[in-house]
Amino acid sequence: ETGVTQTPRHLVMGMTNKKSLKCEQHLGHNAMYWYKQSAKKPLELMFVYNFKEQTENNSVPSRFSPECPNSSHLFLHLHTLQPEDSALYLCASSPGGPSGGSNEQYFGPGTRLTVT
Amino acid sequence: GENVEQHPSTLSVQEGDSAVIKCTYSDSASNYFPWYKQELGKGPQLIIDIRSNVGEKKDQRIAVTLNKTAKHFSLHITETQPEDSAVYFCAASSNFGNEKLTFGTGTRLTIIP
């Protein structure tokens, strides 16, 4: 595998379900991101991790819970979602580093989430 | 915080002609400006970027120009081909080392054969 991979690619869940999205990067990067992409809206940054530490939480509701066990893996745990949470969830990575480093971000293919 | 505006929202161009997409940004401290291409069913792909120490960068048929005084930057695609059809996003980052990118709202480019 190369680049940034995400699983599953499609997910349908009810409002009472609990599910998790997974992201893995094979680029040797240190920073990872979750974005939400909705129709006719700019990409919305949700969370940033740099060297496994969360450096950004963009006022995301607590029903979204990120986890970054190491610099290569990122999870987004979902519970009691609302229909308006239906969107494409994109993971990205960048070189990152203790002083930030390069901003070049590389995206995975996304998980298309539908909340019923 | 940073605000990025992108125009037009849709653009149709005859195959072989050029396409230009423009973005403006608000934070004069921004110093990194990438462009992404997103095809149907895929994530955004970084296609070219420019940093504030240069005014223009070119890679084959695509080029990006930056005007720091006016706070705008543009993507130019020459000799367009059907495979250039996609949604294009511009973005800006206000601090080197700050991992946040602020994105524009996207331009849907359609190449007419």
Side-chain angles (χ1 to χ4, degrees):
Chain A
E1 290 275 16
T2 57
V4 181
T5 58
Q6 289 186 245
T7 55
R9 293 295 309 276
H10 300 272
L11 178 62
V12 179
M13 60 185 288
M15 290 190 285
T16 57
N17 290 160
K18 290 184 181 181
K19 296 285 184 183
S20 296
L21 310 185
K22 179 183 175 182
C23 175
E24 185 173 1
Q25 59 94 2
H26 309 267
L27 300 169
H29 288 167
N30 296 304
M32 296 187 77
Y33 312 74
W34 281 117
Y35 286 89
K36 177 183 179 182
Q37 187 175 36
S38 306
K40 300 183 181 179
K41 281 188 175 182
L43 277 161
E44 298 175 58
L45 179 65
M46 300 175 72
F47 301 103
V48 181
Y49 280 82
N50 195 15
F51 275 94
K52 302 189 298 177
E53 298 298 319
Q54 188 179 118
T55 57
E56 184 83 21
N57 177 337
N58 204 20
S59 303
V60 180
S62 60
R63 57 186 183 270
F64 295 91
S65 175
E67 178 190 1
C68 188
N70 54 60
S71 293
S72 299
H73 294 85
L74 185 64
F75 296 89
L76 188 63
H77 303 300
L78 316 170
H79 65 96
T80 59
L81 295 191
Q82 304 298 312
E84 59 265 30
D85 296 322
S86 298
L88 181 69
Y89 287 85
L90 291 161
C91 174
S93 71
S94 72
S99 58
S102 169
N103 318 62
E104 299 166 9
Q105 293 185 21
Y106 296 86
F107 285 83
T111 295
R112 174 68 62 187
L113 173 67
T114 303
V115 181
T116 60
Chain B
E2 176 68 280
N3 182 48
V4 176
E5 295 190 359
Q6 183 172 347
H7 300 282
S9 57
T10 60
L11 179 63
S12 294
V13 172
Q14 205 72 37
E15 181 178 354
D17 288 351
S18 296
V20 181
I21 302 170
K22 299 181 179 182
C23 288
T24 59
Y25 61 98
S26 60
D27 189 344
S28 57
S30 287
N31 57 9
Y32 175 66
F33 307 92
W35 285 90
Y36 287 85
K37 175 184 180 183
Q38 187 172 23
E39 297 173 285
L40 197 61
K42 297 184 178 181
Q45 176 191 5
L46 179 65
I47 56 172
I48 195 168
D49 57 14
I50 191 168
R51 298 192 184 272
S52 58
N53 55 345
V54 296
E56 184 174 0
K57 184 176 178 181
K58 190 173 181 181
D59 182 4
Q60 299 182 339
R61 296 187 297 109
I62 59 172
V64 57
T65 58
L66 171 65
N67 183 327
K68 286 208 70 181
T69 304
K71 290 192 280 190
H72 67 69
F73 55 112
S74 301
L75 178 70
H76 305 253
I77 306 174
T78 58
E79 301 172 18
T80 52
Q81 301 169 3
E83 53 265 36
D84 295 329
S85 293
V87 179
Y88 291 80
F89 294 93
C90 63
S93 180
S94 58
N95 290 304
F96 183 76
N98 181 335
E99 306 305 326
K100 290 177 62 174
L101 289 175
T102 301
F103 285 85
T105 49
T107 296
R108 181 172 299 279
L109 174 65
T110 302
I111 307 302
I112 305 166

